[in-house]
Amino acid sequence: AKEEGRGRWTRYDPAMDEEREERNNMELDLREAIERQEISVAFQPVVDARSLDMVGVEALARWTRKGHGNVPPDVFIPIAESTGLIDQLGLCVLRNACLALRQWPDLSLAVNVSPGQFRDPAFATYVEDVLHDTGTDASRITLEMTETYFIQNPARARGALERLKQTGVKIALDDFGSGFSSVGYLRQFHFDRMKIDRSLVESLGQNDRALDVLKATVSLARALDIPVTAEGVETDVQVSALKLAGCDLLQGYFFGRPMSEREIAARRGVQPVS
Ligand code: C2E
Ligand code: CA
Ligand code: CA
Ligand code: CA
Protein backbone atom coordinates (compact mmCIF):
# COMPACT_ATOMS: atom_id res chain seq x y z
CA ALA A 1 0.00 0.00 0.00
CA LYS A 2 1.13 3.55 -0.46
CA GLU A 3 0.11 6.72 1.22
CA GLU A 4 -2.19 9.22 -0.41
CA GLY A 5 -2.78 12.79 0.70
CA ARG A 6 -4.49 13.32 4.07
CA GLY A 7 -3.04 10.10 5.45
CA ARG A 8 -5.42 7.74 3.67
CA TRP A 9 -4.08 4.39 2.52
CA THR A 10 -4.99 2.73 -0.73
CA ARG A 11 -3.93 -0.56 -2.19
CA TYR A 12 -1.15 -0.33 -4.76
CA ASP A 13 -2.80 -0.56 -8.14
CA PRO A 14 -0.60 -1.19 -11.20
CA ALA A 15 -3.47 -0.16 -13.49
CA MET A 16 -3.33 3.32 -11.96
CA ASP A 17 0.34 3.59 -12.81
CA GLU A 18 -0.33 2.53 -16.37
CA GLU A 19 -3.07 5.11 -16.66
CA ARG A 20 -0.79 7.81 -15.32
CA GLU A 21 1.98 6.80 -17.66
CA GLU A 22 -0.33 6.81 -20.67
CA ARG A 23 -1.51 10.28 -19.71
CA ASN A 24 2.07 11.47 -19.39
CA ASN A 25 2.93 10.05 -22.78
CA MET A 26 -0.08 11.68 -24.31
CA GLU A 27 0.88 14.99 -22.76
CA LEU A 28 4.39 14.73 -24.20
CA ASP A 29 3.03 13.88 -27.65
CA LEU A 30 0.52 16.74 -27.46
CA ARG A 31 3.24 19.19 -26.48
CA GLU A 32 5.31 18.07 -29.43
CA ALA A 33 2.35 18.23 -31.81
CA ILE A 34 1.60 21.81 -30.76
CA GLU A 35 5.22 22.85 -31.18
CA ARG A 36 5.36 21.27 -34.62
CA GLN A 37 2.05 22.91 -35.53
CA GLU A 38 0.43 19.55 -36.12
CA ILE A 39 -2.89 20.50 -34.55
CA SER A 40 -5.29 21.00 -37.42
CA VAL A 41 -8.66 22.67 -37.64
CA ALA A 42 -11.97 21.26 -38.85
CA PHE A 43 -14.77 23.61 -39.87
CA GLN A 44 -18.44 22.93 -39.26
CA PRO A 45 -21.02 24.88 -41.28
CA VAL A 46 -23.39 27.24 -39.49
CA VAL A 47 -26.51 28.08 -41.50
CA ASP A 48 -29.08 30.85 -41.41
CA ALA A 49 -32.31 29.37 -40.01
CA ARG A 50 -34.48 31.07 -42.65
CA SER A 51 -32.52 30.65 -45.86
CA LEU A 52 -30.48 27.62 -44.74
CA ASP A 53 -27.49 29.26 -46.46
CA MET A 54 -24.10 28.72 -44.88
CA VAL A 55 -23.20 31.98 -43.18
CA GLY A 56 -20.36 30.86 -40.96
CA VAL A 57 -18.21 28.07 -39.60
CA GLU A 58 -17.11 26.89 -36.18
CA ALA A 59 -13.44 25.96 -35.90
CA LEU A 60 -12.80 22.70 -34.02
CA ALA A 61 -9.33 21.46 -33.08
CA ARG A 62 -8.19 18.09 -34.46
CA TRP A 63 -5.21 16.00 -33.47
CA THR A 64 -3.90 12.87 -35.16
CA ARG A 65 -1.52 11.38 -32.63
CA LYS A 66 1.32 9.48 -34.21
CA GLY A 67 0.88 5.75 -33.85
CA HIS A 68 -2.58 6.17 -32.31
CA GLY A 69 -4.86 7.88 -34.82
CA ASN A 70 -7.35 10.64 -34.07
CA VAL A 71 -7.72 11.72 -30.47
CA PRO A 72 -11.07 13.44 -29.76
CA PRO A 73 -10.97 17.02 -28.42
CA ASP A 74 -12.93 15.89 -25.37
CA VAL A 75 -9.77 13.94 -24.48
CA PHE A 76 -6.92 16.26 -25.50
CA ILE A 77 -8.46 19.64 -24.65
CA PRO A 78 -8.74 18.79 -20.91
CA ILE A 79 -5.10 17.63 -20.99
CA ALA A 80 -4.09 20.87 -22.69
CA GLU A 81 -6.06 22.78 -20.06
CA SER A 82 -4.50 21.04 -17.07
CA THR A 83 -0.95 21.38 -18.41
CA GLY A 84 -1.03 24.98 -19.58
CA LEU A 85 -0.71 23.95 -23.23
CA ILE A 86 -4.14 25.35 -23.99
CA ASP A 87 -2.89 28.92 -24.47
CA GLN A 88 -0.64 27.97 -27.33
CA LEU A 89 -3.10 25.44 -28.76
CA GLY A 90 -5.98 27.90 -28.67
CA LEU A 91 -4.06 30.67 -30.41
CA CYS A 92 -2.81 28.21 -33.01
CA VAL A 93 -6.42 27.22 -33.81
CA LEU A 94 -7.45 30.88 -33.97
CA ARG A 95 -4.56 31.74 -36.28
CA ASN A 96 -5.12 28.83 -38.67
CA ALA A 97 -8.86 29.43 -38.76
CA CYS A 98 -8.32 33.15 -39.53
CA LEU A 99 -5.98 32.20 -42.36
CA ALA A 100 -8.63 29.88 -43.84
CA LEU A 101 -11.26 32.58 -43.43
CA ARG A 102 -9.44 34.78 -45.93
CA GLN A 103 -10.84 32.62 -48.74
CA TRP A 104 -14.39 33.04 -47.50
CA PRO A 105 -15.01 36.78 -47.22
CA ASP A 106 -18.73 36.33 -46.58
CA LEU A 107 -18.46 33.83 -43.72
CA SER A 108 -18.14 34.46 -40.00
CA LEU A 109 -15.94 32.36 -37.74
CA ALA A 110 -16.53 30.94 -34.27
CA VAL A 111 -13.58 29.74 -32.17
CA ASN A 112 -13.70 28.07 -28.75
CA VAL A 113 -11.89 29.57 -25.80
CA SER A 114 -11.05 27.74 -22.56
CA PRO A 115 -11.31 29.43 -19.15
CA GLY A 116 -7.53 29.12 -18.76
CA GLN A 117 -6.96 31.30 -21.83
CA PHE A 118 -9.59 33.80 -20.85
CA ARG A 119 -8.06 34.11 -17.37
CA ASP A 120 -4.74 35.33 -18.80
CA PRO A 121 -4.75 39.16 -18.58
CA ALA A 122 -2.86 39.30 -21.89
CA PHE A 123 -5.40 37.16 -23.76
CA ALA A 124 -7.17 40.08 -25.45
CA THR A 125 -3.80 41.35 -26.67
CA TYR A 126 -2.91 37.93 -28.09
CA VAL A 127 -6.21 37.88 -29.95
CA GLU A 128 -5.59 41.37 -31.33
CA ASP A 129 -2.15 40.27 -32.53
CA VAL A 130 -3.52 37.25 -34.38
CA LEU A 131 -6.27 39.31 -36.01
CA HIS A 132 -3.75 41.93 -37.04
CA ASP A 133 -1.21 39.41 -38.38
CA THR A 134 -3.82 37.57 -40.42
CA GLY A 135 -5.62 40.71 -41.59
CA THR A 136 -8.89 39.60 -40.04
CA ASP A 137 -11.76 41.97 -39.32
CA ALA A 138 -12.65 41.46 -35.63
CA SER A 139 -16.36 41.84 -36.33
CA ARG A 140 -16.33 38.51 -38.19
CA ILE A 141 -15.07 36.60 -35.16
CA THR A 142 -17.07 35.09 -32.31
CA LEU A 143 -15.27 33.57 -29.35
CA GLU A 144 -17.29 30.84 -27.66
CA MET A 145 -17.08 30.31 -23.93
CA THR A 146 -18.92 28.10 -21.48
CA GLU A 147 -20.36 29.43 -18.26
CA THR A 148 -17.82 27.80 -15.90
CA TYR A 149 -15.49 30.74 -15.49
CA PHE A 150 -18.35 33.22 -15.27
CA ILE A 151 -19.82 31.26 -12.37
CA GLN A 152 -16.54 30.69 -10.56
CA ASN A 153 -15.15 34.16 -10.86
CA PRO A 154 -17.84 36.67 -11.84
CA ALA A 155 -15.93 39.81 -10.89
CA ARG A 156 -12.79 38.94 -12.83
CA ALA A 157 -14.78 37.47 -15.68
CA ARG A 158 -16.63 40.73 -16.14
CA GLY A 159 -13.40 42.68 -16.54
CA ALA A 160 -11.92 40.12 -18.92
CA LEU A 161 -15.11 40.08 -20.97
CA GLU A 162 -15.18 43.87 -21.34
CA ARG A 163 -11.53 43.97 -22.34
CA LEU A 164 -12.08 41.26 -24.94
CA LYS A 165 -15.13 43.00 -26.37
CA GLN A 166 -13.06 46.14 -26.85
CA THR A 167 -11.14 44.25 -29.53
CA GLY A 168 -14.34 44.09 -31.57
CA VAL A 169 -14.89 40.33 -31.42
CA LYS A 170 -18.24 38.91 -30.36
CA ILE A 171 -18.64 36.63 -27.38
CA ALA A 172 -20.99 33.66 -27.37
CA LEU A 173 -22.19 31.76 -24.33
CA ASP A 174 -21.66 28.15 -25.43
CA ASP A 175 -23.58 25.04 -24.34
CA PHE A 176 -26.51 27.00 -22.89
CA GLY A 177 -28.92 24.63 -21.18
CA SER A 178 -26.32 22.01 -20.33
CA GLY A 179 -25.38 23.25 -16.87
CA PHE A 180 -26.83 25.78 -14.49
CA SER A 181 -27.49 28.35 -17.20
CA SER A 182 -29.41 30.80 -15.10
CA VAL A 183 -31.07 33.96 -16.32
CA GLY A 184 -28.77 35.75 -13.89
CA TYR A 185 -25.65 35.27 -16.04
CA LEU A 186 -27.39 36.60 -19.09
CA ARG A 187 -28.32 39.74 -17.21
CA GLN A 188 -24.97 40.12 -15.52
CA PHE A 189 -22.78 39.54 -18.59
CA HIS A 190 -23.43 40.98 -22.00
CA PHE A 191 -23.01 38.11 -24.39
CA ASP A 192 -23.45 38.76 -28.09
CA ARG A 193 -24.65 35.26 -28.95
CA MET A 194 -26.15 32.26 -27.25
CA LYS A 195 -25.62 28.67 -28.33
CA ILE A 196 -28.27 26.22 -27.25
CA ASP A 197 -26.71 22.96 -26.19
CA ARG A 198 -27.10 19.77 -28.17
CA SER A 199 -28.78 18.03 -25.21
CA LEU A 200 -31.72 20.42 -25.44
CA VAL A 201 -31.97 19.98 -29.21
CA GLU A 202 -31.76 16.20 -28.83
CA SER A 203 -34.73 16.12 -26.49
CA LEU A 204 -36.95 17.80 -29.09
CA GLY A 205 -39.51 15.34 -30.41
CA GLN A 206 -38.93 13.09 -27.41
CA ASN A 207 -41.32 15.08 -25.24
CA ASP A 208 -43.50 18.17 -25.45
CA ARG A 209 -41.91 19.92 -22.51
CA ALA A 210 -38.63 20.05 -24.42
CA LEU A 211 -40.22 22.30 -27.03
CA ASP A 212 -41.65 24.54 -24.31
CA VAL A 213 -38.26 24.85 -22.62
CA LEU A 214 -36.67 25.64 -25.97
CA LYS A 215 -39.27 28.30 -26.80
CA ALA A 216 -38.84 29.92 -23.39
CA THR A 217 -35.06 29.94 -23.80
CA VAL A 218 -35.20 31.52 -27.23
CA SER A 219 -37.72 34.16 -26.07
CA LEU A 220 -35.41 35.03 -23.21
CA ALA A 221 -32.50 35.54 -25.59
CA ARG A 222 -34.69 37.53 -27.96
CA ALA A 223 -35.84 39.79 -25.14
CA LEU A 224 -32.18 40.52 -24.48
CA ASP A 225 -31.50 41.00 -28.19
CA ILE A 226 -29.11 38.05 -28.32
CA PRO A 227 -29.17 35.98 -31.52
CA VAL A 228 -29.50 32.25 -30.86
CA THR A 229 -27.64 29.37 -32.50
CA ALA A 230 -28.91 25.82 -31.99
CA GLU A 231 -26.21 23.16 -32.14
CA GLY A 232 -26.30 19.42 -32.65
CA VAL A 233 -29.13 19.62 -35.20
CA GLU A 234 -29.48 16.16 -36.74
CA THR A 235 -33.02 15.79 -38.11
CA ASP A 236 -35.53 17.73 -40.20
CA VAL A 237 -38.00 17.46 -37.30
CA GLN A 238 -35.52 19.36 -35.14
CA VAL A 239 -34.98 21.94 -37.90
CA SER A 240 -38.73 22.68 -38.05
CA ALA A 241 -39.05 22.96 -34.27
CA LEU A 242 -35.99 25.20 -33.98
CA LYS A 243 -37.22 27.49 -36.74
CA LEU A 244 -40.64 27.64 -35.12
CA ALA A 245 -39.06 28.52 -31.78
CA GLY A 246 -37.27 31.42 -33.46
CA CYS A 247 -33.62 30.31 -33.56
CA ASP A 248 -31.49 32.48 -35.82
CA LEU A 249 -28.73 30.07 -36.75
CA LEU A 250 -28.49 26.29 -36.95
CA GLN A 251 -25.53 23.95 -36.76
CA GLY A 252 -25.28 20.16 -36.75
CA TYR A 253 -24.71 16.98 -38.71
CA PHE A 254 -27.95 17.62 -40.61
CA PHE A 255 -26.17 20.48 -42.39
CA GLY A 256 -22.64 19.14 -42.27
CA ARG A 257 -20.08 17.52 -40.03
CA PRO A 258 -16.88 19.29 -39.12
CA MET A 259 -14.82 19.12 -42.34
CA SER A 260 -11.58 20.23 -43.92
CA GLU A 261 -10.96 23.65 -45.39
CA ARG A 262 -11.06 22.10 -48.84
CA GLU A 263 -14.45 20.45 -48.23
CA ILE A 264 -15.91 23.77 -47.09
CA ALA A 265 -14.62 25.38 -50.27
CA ALA A 266 -16.13 22.56 -52.37
CA ARG A 267 -19.48 22.88 -50.66
CA ARG A 268 -19.59 26.59 -51.42
CA GLY A 269 -18.95 25.86 -55.08
CA VAL A 270 -17.42 28.49 -57.30
CA GLN A 271 -17.75 31.88 -55.68
CA PRO A 272 -18.07 34.98 -57.81
CA VAL A 273 -14.86 37.00 -57.75
CA SER A 274 -15.61 40.47 -56.47
P1 C2E B 1 -18.43 22.37 -28.66
O1 C2E B 1 -17.76 23.69 -28.67
O2 C2E B 1 -19.76 22.30 -28.01
O3 C2E B 1 -18.48 21.90 -30.17
C1 C2E B 1 -19.53 21.17 -30.74
C2 C2E B 1 -19.23 19.70 -30.72
O4 C2E B 1 -20.41 18.98 -31.13
C3 C2E B 1 -18.14 19.28 -31.71
O5 C2E B 1 -17.46 18.14 -31.16
C4 C2E B 1 -18.96 18.86 -32.92
O6 C2E B 1 -18.27 17.97 -33.78
C5 C2E B 1 -20.13 18.20 -32.26
N1 C2E B 1 -21.32 18.22 -33.11
C6 C2E B 1 -21.68 19.16 -34.01
N2 C2E B 1 -22.86 18.86 -34.59
C7 C2E B 1 -23.27 17.70 -34.03
C8 C2E B 1 -24.42 16.87 -34.22
O7 C2E B 1 -25.32 17.14 -35.02
N3 C2E B 1 -24.50 15.75 -33.46
C9 C2E B 1 -23.52 15.40 -32.57
N4 C2E B 1 -23.67 14.26 -31.89
N5 C2E B 1 -22.42 16.16 -32.37
C10 C2E B 1 -22.30 17.30 -33.09
P2 C2E B 1 -15.89 18.03 -31.15
O8 C2E B 1 -15.30 18.59 -32.40
O9 C2E B 1 -15.58 16.62 -30.78
O10 C2E B 1 -15.46 18.99 -29.97
C11 C2E B 1 -15.84 18.72 -28.64
C12 C2E B 1 -15.56 19.88 -27.74
O11 C2E B 1 -14.15 20.10 -27.62
C13 C2E B 1 -16.14 21.20 -28.23
O12 C2E B 1 -17.50 21.26 -27.92
C14 C2E B 1 -15.29 22.18 -27.45
O13 C2E B 1 -15.79 22.31 -26.15
C15 C2E B 1 -13.95 21.48 -27.40
N6 C2E B 1 -13.06 22.04 -28.43
C16 C2E B 1 -12.89 21.69 -29.73
N7 C2E B 1 -11.97 22.47 -30.34
C17 C2E B 1 -11.53 23.36 -29.40
C18 C2E B 1 -10.58 24.43 -29.39
O14 C2E B 1 -9.93 24.77 -30.40
N8 C2E B 1 -10.40 25.09 -28.21
C19 C2E B 1 -11.10 24.77 -27.08
N9 C2E B 1 -10.88 25.47 -25.97
N10 C2E B 1 -12.02 23.78 -27.06
C20 C2E B 1 -12.22 23.08 -28.19
CA1 CA C 1 -18.39 25.69 -29.36
CA1 CA D 1 -21.29 23.92 -27.78
CA1 CA E 1 -19.79 21.20 -25.78
Side-chain angles (χ1 to χ4, degrees):
K2 71 179 178 187
E3 200 174 3
E4 253 187 3
R6 299 205 190 103
R8 277 188 295 136
W9 293 81
T10 51
R11 194 165 293 169
Y12 172 71
D13 180 359
M16 276 291 284
D17 274 1
E18 253 171 60
E19 227 174 89
R20 204 167 296 143
E21 193 180 315
E22 167 50 17
R23 208 183 141 90
N24 279 341
N25 287 337
M26 196 185 275
E27 185 195 322
L28 288 174
D29 285 354
L30 181 62
R31 192 179 294 273
E32 194 176 284
I34 294 169
E35 271 157 18
R36 295 186 179 175
Q37 315 226 349
E38 287 168 1
I39 302 296
S40 64
V41 183
F43 298 92
Q44 185 175 34
V46 175
V47 309
D48 180 280
R50 284 166 188 265
S51 66
L52 302 187
D53 287 337
M54 177 167 31
V55 291
V57 288
E58 177 175 0
L60 294 156
R62 293 292 179 261
W63 177 33
T64 308
R65 184 181 173 199
K66 54 176 199 292
H68 296 261
N70 290 335
V71 182
D74 288 332
V75 173
F76 72 80
I77 294 289
I79 294 179
E81 284 172 338
S82 65
T83 53
L85 291 169
I86 192 66
D87 301 83
Q88 211 182 332
L89 189 157
L91 286 175
C92 169
V93 169
L94 179 65
R95 175 178 301 275
N96 289 332
C98 283
L99 288 174
L101 197 67
R102 293 197 204 175
Q103 313 158 63
W104 312 317
D106 52 332
L107 297 186
S108 60
L109 169 71
V111 178
N112 295 288
V113 170
S114 291
Q117 296 176 267
F118 187 55
R119 205 180 291 130
D120 184 342
F123 179 60
T125 310
Y126 297 150
V127 170
E128 275 174 333
D129 288 347
V130 171
L131 298 183
H132 180 263
D133 291 350
T134 55
T136 310
D137 186 349
S139 66
R140 296 174 65 195
I141 308 296
T142 300
L143 300 181
E144 300 191 349
M145 272 172 259
T146 53
E147 64 191 14
T148 345
Y149 188 60
F150 297 94
I151 297 174
Q152 286 167 356
N153 220 325
R156 290 187 62 185
R158 186 195 305 271
L161 189 68
E162 288 316 314
R163 171 74 187 94
L164 205 46
K165 286 178 75 158
Q166 279 167 12
T167 68
V169 302
K170 296 186 182 68
I171 311 294
L173 182 57
D174 205 349
D175 297 353
F176 191 85
S178 67
F180 298 99
S181 309
S182 92
V183 179
Y185 307 125
L186 292 180
R187 219 188 42 201
Q188 206 179 342
F189 303 103
H190 294 174
F191 296 106
D192 306 292
R193 293 260 186 293
M194 182 205 280
K195 292 193 85 169
I196 294 187
D197 192 59
R198 175 156 62 89
S199 58
L200 210 70
V201 174
E202 222 171 11
S203 59
L204 285 175
Q206 289 170 10
N207 60 65
D208 289 344
R209 288 183 67 83
L211 185 60
D212 291 334
V213 171
L214 178 83
K215 281 182 177 161
T217 308
V218 178
S219 321
L220 171 66
R222 298 223 125 185
L224 293 164
D225 248 334
I226 305 172
V228 178
T229 306
E231 65 181 3
V233 184
E234 294 183 353
T235 67
D236 54 355
V237 174
Q238 290 168 347
V239 172
S240 311
L242 293 163
K243 285 174 82 159
L244 193 72
C247 289
D248 304 277
L249 299 165
L250 306 175
Q251 178 183 350
Y253 294 170
F254 185 79
F255 302 103
R257 293 190 173 243
M259 55 186 89
S260 68
E261 197 175 323
R262 192 200 279 215
E263 287 168 300
I264 291 282
R267 161 160 319 210
R268 286 158 52 79
V270 180
Q271 293 296 308
V273 184
S274 54

